[in-house]
Amino acid sequence: MNSKNTICLWYDRDALEAATFYAETFPDSAVLAVHHAPCDYPSGQQGDVLTVRFDVMGIPCLGLNGGPLFRHNEAFSFQVATDDQAETDRLWQAIIDNGGQASECGWCKDRWGISWQITPRILTAAIGSPDRAAARRAFEAMMTMSKIDIARIEAALKG
């Protein structure tokens, strides 16, 4: 483990499947190591995949196959800054089409319950605009969206 701080994500039994999906979907992501249980444990047996070390867009993560006791919720999410509509669409659809679920305002949830914010950079800039009327229009437009539509954000900025 190279990083001093690593995000640990709890999975029931499919940490390797999740890590592989993230590595195939997001740039600068990879499965780095798979560790098998040296003996039986409460939610598994010796030889089962116990932990998976992986990076998601450069963020070090550890997937722990801890069993069904704990579930993910929206209190934790990955926020992915996208540069254009094509990237926004590709990442959103990859998550949704792989058993995920759409939500509101750029949020979606993958099939393992991890929340993602697929956020175009223009949206972040718009909401922080010094032109507070334009920021409000962009924010109000975002509040009506599921997946973010960059053209609608740009139109809201212009008024």
Side-chain angles (χ1 to χ4, degrees):
M1 205 177 276
N2 295 332
S3 179
K4 194 166 186 138
N5 188 7
T6 299
I7 295 171
C8 182
L9 299 169
W10 185 292
Y11 296 88
D12 185 356
R13 300 197 135 270
D14 42 11
L16 179 57
E17 182 181 359
T20 301
F21 171 74
Y22 304 147
E24 292 171 351
T25 303
F26 297 99
D28 194 24
S29 301
V31 174
L32 304 172
V34 177
H35 301 283
H36 298 268
C39 60
D40 292 351
Y41 60 108
S43 61
Q45 299 176 343
Q46 179 179 349
D48 288 352
V49 173
L50 180 61
T51 62
V52 180
R53 250 185 356 102
F54 59 99
D55 284 351
V56 176
M57 295 172 287
I59 298 171
C61 299
L62 180 76
L64 169 66
N65 281 330
L69 184 60
F70 298 112
R71 296 285 178 207
H72 300 286
N73 66 50
E74 290 77 4
F76 172 87
S77 65
F78 284 100
Q79 185 178 41
V80 181
T82 56
D83 293 320
D84 55 35
Q85 194 66 53
E87 183 182 23
T88 301
D89 293 347
R90 183 185 74 77
L91 295 176
W92 179 273
Q93 286 310 131
I95 292 168
I96 301 304
D97 292 348
N98 190 46
Q101 176 182 345
S103 189
E104 303 299 321
C105 304
W107 290 67
C108 56
K109 191 180 292 188
D110 69 27
R111 66 189 282 184
W112 301 280
I114 301 288
S115 290
W116 298 82
Q117 298 175 60
I118 308 302
T119 309
R121 292 181 196 277
I122 186 71
L123 174 62
T124 304
I127 292 171
S129 172
D131 179 344
R132 300 316 294 155
R136 180 183 177 136
R137 290 190 305 270
F139 185 82
E140 288 173 344
M142 176 205 65
M143 293 298 292
T144 68
M145 298 177 196
S146 185
K147 177 180 65 178
I148 302 300
D149 180 331
I150 293 174
R152 286 181 53 207
I153 296 298
E154 289 172 334
L157 277 172
K158 292 176 185 173

